[in-house]
Amino acid sequence: MAAEYRNPKTKAGNKMTKAQSTDIRVALFGQSGAGKTTFLVSYFGNQQRHSFEQKHGYRLEADDVAVGNQLLSRYYKMECGQFPDGTSVSSEYKFNLKLAGLSEPGLHITWVDYPGAWWESQPKDSAEKTSRQNALSGLLGCHVGLLLVDGMQYRRHGLSYVRALLDQFKSEIRRLKDAASKVTQRENFPQIWLLAISKADVLSPGTTAEMIGKEITMGAADQIKGVADALDSKQFGHQYLLLSSAEADGSKVLDATKCIGFQLLAPIALESMLLDAVAEARKKENGRSGLFAKVLDTLSSIVDMVDSLDDFLPPKYQVFTKLLKAMSIKEELNKGASHFREKQAAASKRGDIIAATASAMKAELSSPMARKAYFNNQA
Ligand SMILES: Nc1nc2c(ncn2[C@@H]2O[C@H](COP(=O)(O)OP(=O)(O)O)[C@@H](O)[C@H]2O)c(=O)[nH]1
Ligand SMILES: [Mg+2]
């Protein structure tokens, strides 16, 4: 990984077209049946709704209209009680986050779905082998990895399920790394990881991400370390998120609009990138003045330091410099969501897309949903 950081002057942002700027790439992993397909359908379906925009001040649109329509028709089936049919192909889904009152998207979010069935079997023919290779190159370069922990299995089998899942995931990561080393010169797996408990609607009421996060951190410490080592990521196992795509009763959807955790993903990803940059700066400056690390560490007063911040961001984060800087201006999250939504509206009025996006993200992080559904055991 270190080699990637050696030339901080390479400003990836200069080469990017507008559409590619600030595209958060998230890799979605989970065994088959864990809820990936349903998640992607509901993620888009719920966040493109008019009532969502009214409340949150932004909405998602699909970058490709045809893909959006296809996801929507599956979402409307969910509204009629039906979970989407399974799929076994890997796909990329690109969404634009549109802030109310602004015509350009503030952020792009691309999901790379990696079929769980691929963990469990060898490619059945050369076509599948090729599509696995393509999926692999899509995974490389993702900023964030999300591993789904099936909430239903967790409720039934507890930690023994989690331990087995993590061991299986470790083996899959090792296989992927071997495959990646054959096609590219260096692997570039995400460094930031979230463990997401899917189907959170089936957990007993009152369950929080903190409760589950602490249980897994203690009860599966050895398996977490195994995956972290395989990924070469110190981050793995620190962040936990509750996700639910709908309220359901067995295989019937009761309410497709009752989802949990979705709107936290983009802000958590951005905040994690910022903290990752802090850690990187600290490593680099070890034994030197430590000025930049200190400045970043307080997450404050870096208003005039955009270019300097750039020097400390790994190239794949550099397109986010301005947005990360706006996110980092210290402002207590306990000011509450409505404070940040007002700031978002004011920024939109000025046409300041970066400030508006940062405020929209901070509103989510300071919401009651974040306190219930998100836990970082390092914070
Ligand atoms: N209660 C509940 N069940 C879910 C949820 N998401 C998925 N499921 C169930 O899990 C099954 C498998 O989900 P699917 O998205 O196809 O999993 P995938 O194989 O990971 O893509 C669905 O058919 C539903 O029965 C959820 O949010 N809540
Ligand atoms: Mg699926």
Side-chain angles (χ1 to χ4, degrees):
M1 237 13 224
E4 191 199 333
Y5 300 148
R6 244 169 238 152
N7 184 10
K9 292 288 177 205
T10 315
K11 291 195 178 167
N14 295 345
K15 291 188 215 94
M16 296 277 169
T17 65
K18 207 167 191 179
Q20 283 172 310
S21 64
T22 58
D23 179 13
I24 304 180
R25 290 179 63 86
V26 189
L28 182 59
F29 289 90
Q31 290 168 311
S32 65
K36 296 181 297 300
T37 299
T38 308
F39 165 75
L40 285 163
V41 169
S42 174
Y43 179 83
F44 177 61
N46 273 299
Q47 295 190 88
Q48 58 77 45
R49 287 166 60 230
H50 182 63
S51 54
F52 181 90
E53 179 173 4
Q54 298 257 290
K55 181 166 172 211
H56 296 260
Y58 64 87
R59 68 185 157 80
L60 290 185
E61 67 176 25
D63 201 56
D64 179 329
V65 178
V67 171
N69 286 340
Q70 186 232 350
L71 285 171
L72 264 187
S73 69
R74 303 172 88 190
Y75 173 72
Y76 291 135
K77 279 196 187 140
M78 283 182 74
E79 286 199 336
C80 297
Q82 237 179 303
F83 275 108
D85 293 334
T87 51
S88 60
V89 290
S90 170
S91 321
E92 282 199 20
Y93 296 91
K94 188 164 178 161
F95 303 116
N96 305 325
L97 192 147
K98 297 284 291 278
L99 298 136
L102 293 170
S103 56
E104 285 290 319
L107 203 59
H108 308 269
I109 304 157
T110 300
W111 286 90
V112 183
D113 173 19
Y114 189 80
W118 288 0
W119 302 20
E120 288 138 33
S121 66
Q122 294 294 323
K124 61 177 185 300
D125 52 31
S126 67
E128 189 180 310
K129 198 167 173 200
T130 309
S131 62
R132 286 194 190 195
Q133 268 159 5
N134 291 342
L136 178 60
S137 45
L139 294 177
L140 300 173
C142 277
H143 302 99
V144 181
L146 197 86
L147 175 62
L148 287 191
V149 175
D150 185 331
M152 219 174 263
Q153 301 271 10
Y154 182 70
R155 198 188 65 176
R156 244 179 247 152
H157 307 289
L159 286 168
S160 68
Y161 156 70
V162 179
R163 294 188 193 111
L165 168 74
L166 291 171
D167 279 340
Q168 202 190 11
F169 185 55
K170 178 181 70 186
S171 307
E172 179 59 16
I173 289 296
R174 286 181 175 158
R175 266 196 299 274
L176 283 173
K177 282 203 147 178
D178 288 343
S181 67
K182 287 185 198 131
V183 289
T184 60
Q185 284 176 322
R186 64 160 195 268
E187 311 124 14
N188 191 6
F189 277 90
Q191 292 295 292
I192 295 164
W193 284 87
L194 287 170
L195 278 163
I197 295 66
S198 67
K199 310 179 192 178
D201 53 292
V202 305
L203 301 172
S204 38
T207 305
T208 62
E210 179 169 1
M211 287 153 72
I212 294 191
K214 284 182 171 162
E215 208 168 272
I216 294 179
T217 308
M218 283 193 291
D222 186 61
Q223 290 74 15
I224 285 178
K225 181 147 191 331
V227 177
D229 288 348
L231 283 166
D232 204 13
S233 157
K234 290 192 181 59
Q235 261 269 330
F236 187 88
H238 289 176
Q239 306 195 75
Y240 296 85
L241 183 65
L242 301 186
L243 288 182
S244 167
S245 301
E247 199 175 272
D249 181 14
S251 58
K252 192 168 164 36
V253 177
L254 298 178
D255 189 342
T257 66
K258 285 219 169 105
C259 53
I260 300 173
F262 290 5
Q263 59 270 33
L264 297 170
L265 277 156
I268 291 171
L270 286 167
E271 201 183 53
S272 301
M273 289 184 208
L274 191 63
L275 295 175
D276 202 33
V278 173
E280 199 54 38
R282 199 180 278 137
K283 234 190 321 184
K284 270 193 184 170
E285 290 196 326
N286 209 2
R288 288 191 274 137
S289 74
L291 172 69
F292 287 107
K294 233 178 268 159
V295 172
L296 285 169
D297 211 15
T298 58
L299 301 185
S300 62
S301 50
I302 50 173
V303 184
D304 301 316
M305 297 174 62
V306 193
D307 291 332
S308 315
L309 177 62
D310 232 11
D311 290 349
F312 286 93
L313 287 168
K316 73 174 168 182
Y317 297 166
Q318 283 173 6
V319 290
F320 295 100
T321 305
K322 290 202 174 84
L323 183 56
L324 290 177
K325 191 197 71 158
M327 289 277 292
S328 72
I329 294 166
K330 192 163 180 88
E331 203 167 6
E332 295 304 327
L333 289 177
N334 63 18
K335 284 196 169 145
S338 55
H339 166 80
F340 290 106
R341 291 210 174 105
E342 278 162 30
K343 287 192 67 167
Q344 178 192 337
S348 287
K349 235 179 223 156
R350 298 196 302 275
D352 186 341
I353 194 163
I354 289 170
T357 309
S359 295
M361 298 293 96
K362 286 186 151 194
E364 299 301 356
L365 289 174
S366 60
S367 66
M369 172 72 87
R371 279 192 289 281
K372 179 184 178 216
Y374 175 55
F375 175 59
N376 183 341
N377 66 16
Q378 303 287 296

